[in-house]
Amino acid sequence: MGAVLGDVLGFAAAVAVSPLPIIAVILILATPRGRLNGVLFTVGWILGLAMLGAVMLAIASPAHASAHKHPATWVGALKVALGLFLVVFGARLWHRRPKDPSEARLPKWMSAIDRLTPVKIFALGVALAALNAKNAPLTIAAGAAIGSAGLPVGQQIGALAVFVVVATLGLLAPLGVFLLGGERARTTLGDWKDWAAQHNVAVMAVLFFVLGLKLLGDGVSVLTS
């Protein structure tokens, strides 16, 4: 269990510091129904991560992801594929990053956040967690790590819960500042948003490249052992 959590926490931390969801929740908190919308977005995010992780566990168990507590060959191949994807995606992000951070631009959909209904805010949280090309590979990798460890079902669920909680800390921080920070909260969140917007691409490029190399190494180790 300890070894699995060691692997999972790295992926969870990478998801937690993903700048775009953090920017999104800060913008959502600035809407007229910011308190409700912020909570709905965070709940949707938690649900999205949990569903994707649960799907991976459901696939891994009947597919014999673990043989005598050793990851199966297909798990190694999956890690190699995910690792290659993250390395290539990270290198591409780094190449396309703005040379001047002040020139960074947010996605166009963020300009419509203040017009979204609570239901759509909730759906946005689910989508950014489970369908985002930046977060989904990390969640899939975490699910594969848990499913291939040969743990009992209860411990698998516990490990997935730890992943989801840690991966949500990036959203809980601005939400907590908004709910408890008083008058200074908007200024603090505005500073966080500006920093995240300027360094979003560079941060994700480095994270993806490093985690991609780790997954490649893990996958090759499984395939050659």
Side-chain angles (χ1 to χ4, degrees), residues 183-207:
E183 295 297 328
R184 298 180 56 185
R186 293 188 181 277
T187 300
T188 300
L189 293 178
D191 292 340
W192 289 6
K193 177 180 72 67
D194 292 341
W195 187 93
Q198 291 178 9
H199 301 283
N200 165 50
V201 177
V203 168
M204 294 310 301
V206 173
L207 282 174

Side-chain angles (χ1 to χ4, degrees), residues 132-210:
N132 187 291
K134 296 179 180 180
N135 291 331
L138 299 175
T139 304
I140 292 172
I146 297 170
S148 63
L151 297 175
V153 174
Q155 291 186 14
Q156 290 186 29
I157 295 173
L160 179 60
V162 170
F163 168 80
V164 172
V165 170
V166 175
T168 307
L169 293 179
L171 301 187
L172 293 178
L175 185 60
V177 169
F178 178 81
L179 296 175
L180 305 174
E183 295 297 328
R184 298 180 56 185
R186 293 188 181 277
T187 300
T188 300
L189 293 178
D191 292 340
W192 289 6
K193 177 180 72 67
D194 292 341
W195 187 93
Q198 291 178 9
H199 301 283
N200 165 50
V201 177
V203 168
M204 294 310 301
V206 173
L207 282 174
F208 280 8
F209 195 79
V210 172

Side-chain angles (χ1 to χ4, degrees), residues 64-135:
H64 305 291
S66 174
H68 305 294
K69 296 189 177 181
H70 185 274
T73 300
W74 74 264
V75 175
L78 175 63
K79 288 187 174 183
V80 168
L82 289 173
L84 285 172
F85 172 80
L86 291 178
V87 167
V88 172
F89 198 45
R92 184 182 178 190
L93 283 175
W94 183 261
H95 178 71
R96 299 176 66 178
R97 78 192 190 284
K99 301 304 179 184
D100 182 355
S102 63
E103 296 177 356
R105 295 290 181 268
L106 294 176
K108 292 182 179 179
W109 59 263
M110 285 192 171
S111 62
I113 278 181
D114 60 341
R115 299 191 296 274
L116 296 181
T117 64
V119 173
K120 291 182 178 179
I121 290 289
F122 175 81
L124 178 62
V126 175
L128 280 179
L131 304 178
N132 187 291
K134 296 179 180 180
N135 291 331

Side-chain angles (χ1 to χ4, degrees), residues 1-41:
M1 182 68 169
V4 172
L5 289 178
D7 285 340
V8 165
L9 287 176
F11 298 125
V15 175
V17 299
S18 183
L20 279 184
I22 295 175
I23 296 171
V25 76
I26 291 174
L27 292 175
I28 287 168
L29 291 171
T31 61
R33 290 182 286 192
R35 186 183 299 267
L36 172 63
N37 288 342
V39 171
L40 286 174
F41 179 81

Side-chain angles (χ1 to χ4, degrees), residues 203-223:
V203 168
M204 294 310 301
V206 173
L207 282 174
F208 280 8
F209 195 79
V210 172
L211 289 172
L213 289 177
K214 180 185 183 302
L215 278 173
L216 273 174
D218 290 348
V220 170
S221 177
V222 171
L223 293 175

